[in-house]
Amino acid sequence: MGGNSELRVVGTRKSRSLGEVGGTISVESERGSVEFTATDDVVLTVGGERNSVTAHGSGSTVRLSIDGDRNSVSIARSLDLEIHDDEGVANSIDRHGEEQSSPELVRTDRAEAYADLGLFDYTMVSYQTNATEREFCHNCGRDAETIVRRHEETVLAVFGFTVTLGERTGSDECPECTPHVPDEDVELSEAERREIFR
């Protein structure tokens, strides 16, 4: 039942599993139980009394309005929640499940980057550090709990001794503005390699 739709649940003691939905859901029953998985943004309105509504899914937004009494609404932590109205009496709203995961920003610290150097090496090493003194990301301007600074150093290594010949510090990044690249190795085909080296 995916795509944008308008669904209404009415009556007494109705139990409905709506499956995958996006669009508008209106629960106007009494002592009902409604469950769904949000595959797109959902506008959820809960009226009536003593209903139990559970939303699963990830990456979408649930816009919630409650005007009934003694209703229980549980939204997955991996969904964004916007509460527009809560005008009833004794309603409860809680979150369940795991937080939406964000990309790991510090993938290589300085020690790990230097550990890969050989006995005789002249190379560029890259690593990241936490920018704990920052209250907001200077790259995108958003408040963020985790902000990292990216570094690149030109290093000369001889018999385990290292000398930093040059350093370049990149801009701040946070989970909101970091381009997430999967960890898997990227391999070029034989034809793509020939095209590059023409």
Side-chain angles (χ1 to χ4, degrees):
M1 203 181 283
N4 281 340
S5 54
E6 293 187 27
L7 302 169
R8 268 180 85 212
V9 178
V10 296
T12 304
R13 298 184 187 275
K14 298 289 184 180
S15 178
R16 295 285 182 263
S17 180
L18 304 178
E20 296 183 345
V21 298
T24 303
I25 300 173
S26 179
V27 180
E28 302 164 18
S29 62
E30 291 186 16
R31 299 177 188 272
S33 174
V34 177
E35 188 174 0
F36 65 90
T37 300
T39 56
D40 201 349
D41 291 353
V42 171
V43 176
L44 174 61
T45 304
V46 181
E49 283 189 24
R50 300 180 190 275
N51 293 296
S52 172
V53 181
T54 304
H56 304 284
S58 64
S60 301
T61 300
V62 175
R63 295 176 177 88
L64 175 63
S65 298
I66 304 180
D67 58 13
D69 298 331
R70 295 176 179 82
N71 294 293
S72 172
V73 180
S74 182
I75 308 292
R77 290 185 193 280
S78 52
L79 291 168
D80 290 329
L81 173 63
E82 296 176 6
I83 300 174
H84 287 240
D85 291 303
D86 183 4
E87 298 182 355
V89 176
N91 292 305
S92 71
I93 303 167
D94 69 11
R95 306 298 296 266
H96 66 269
E98 297 287 325
E99 290 277 359
Q100 190 168 3
S101 63
S102 58
E104 183 66 39
L105 297 183
V106 176
R107 293 185 174 209
T108 308
D109 63 22
R110 192 172 193 267
E112 290 170 333
Y114 272 67
D116 290 338
L117 295 173
L119 289 177
F120 297 97
D121 231 332
Y122 175 73
T123 188
M124 174 85 71
V125 296
S126 300
Y127 62 93
Q128 305 86 40
T129 57
N130 283 309
T132 53
E133 77 281 3
R134 297 278 199 232
E135 294 181 4
F136 65 94
C137 179
H138 284 212
N139 188 39
C140 67
R142 295 189 174 121
D143 292 333
E145 290 182 14
T146 305
I147 301 170
V148 299
R149 192 169 292 122
R150 303 212 176 267
H151 304 269
E152 287 184 347
E153 295 179 0
T154 305
V155 177
L156 174 64
V158 179
F159 293 117
F161 295 102
T162 58
V163 178
T164 303
L165 303 175
E167 181 178 358
R168 189 173 65 115
T169 302
S171 65
D172 294 350
E173 290 182 23
C174 72
E176 298 297 325
C177 64
T178 298
H180 180 58
V181 178
D183 287 330
E184 292 86 3
D185 291 335
V186 177
E187 291 189 14
L188 297 176
S189 69
E190 199 64 41
E192 289 171 324
R193 280 198 290 272
R194 279 197 298 271
E195 186 67 30
I196 288 172
F197 290 112
R198 274 188 181 183

